[in-house]
Amino acid sequence: GGVGPPPAPYRRARRRLERAEALIARCPCPAGCPACVGPSDETSSRKRLGLRLLGALDLRLQTPEPARAGTR
């Protein structure tokens, strides 16, 4: 047991976000479809929202990883 996720998944998170963003961005649908983000309703674009969320998550990943206990 410990505090927080193990380092390996943390390091892979950026690549996973990049792959998800590429999948959504290259999909030819205008607002979201089952192939990229699921169905979109008539009043919003889940595709646009998905790309914005991925961008926000990427910003969080750019912050330095917290120091581990016992290291400096």
Side-chain angles (χ1 to χ4, degrees):
V3 180
Y10 180 83
R11 287 191 296 268
R12 289 191 296 250
R14 177 175 300 283
R15 180 68 181 133
R16 288 181 178 148
L17 289 175
E18 289 169 351
R19 291 176 70 187
E21 184 177 26
L23 182 142
I24 294 170
R26 75 172 168 254
C27 186
C29 72
C33 70
C36 65
V37 294
S40 182
D41 60 31
E42 297 293 322
T43 61
S44 68
S45 172
R46 289 187 183 176
K47 186 173 185 173
R48 183 174 49 236
L49 176 60
L51 291 171
R52 288 181 63 201
L53 286 171
L54 288 167
L57 288 170
D58 186 52
L59 288 174
R60 291 197 63 200
L61 286 176
Q62 292 177 21
T63 60
E65 187 173 350
R68 298 201 118 359
T71 61
R72 286 202 178 246

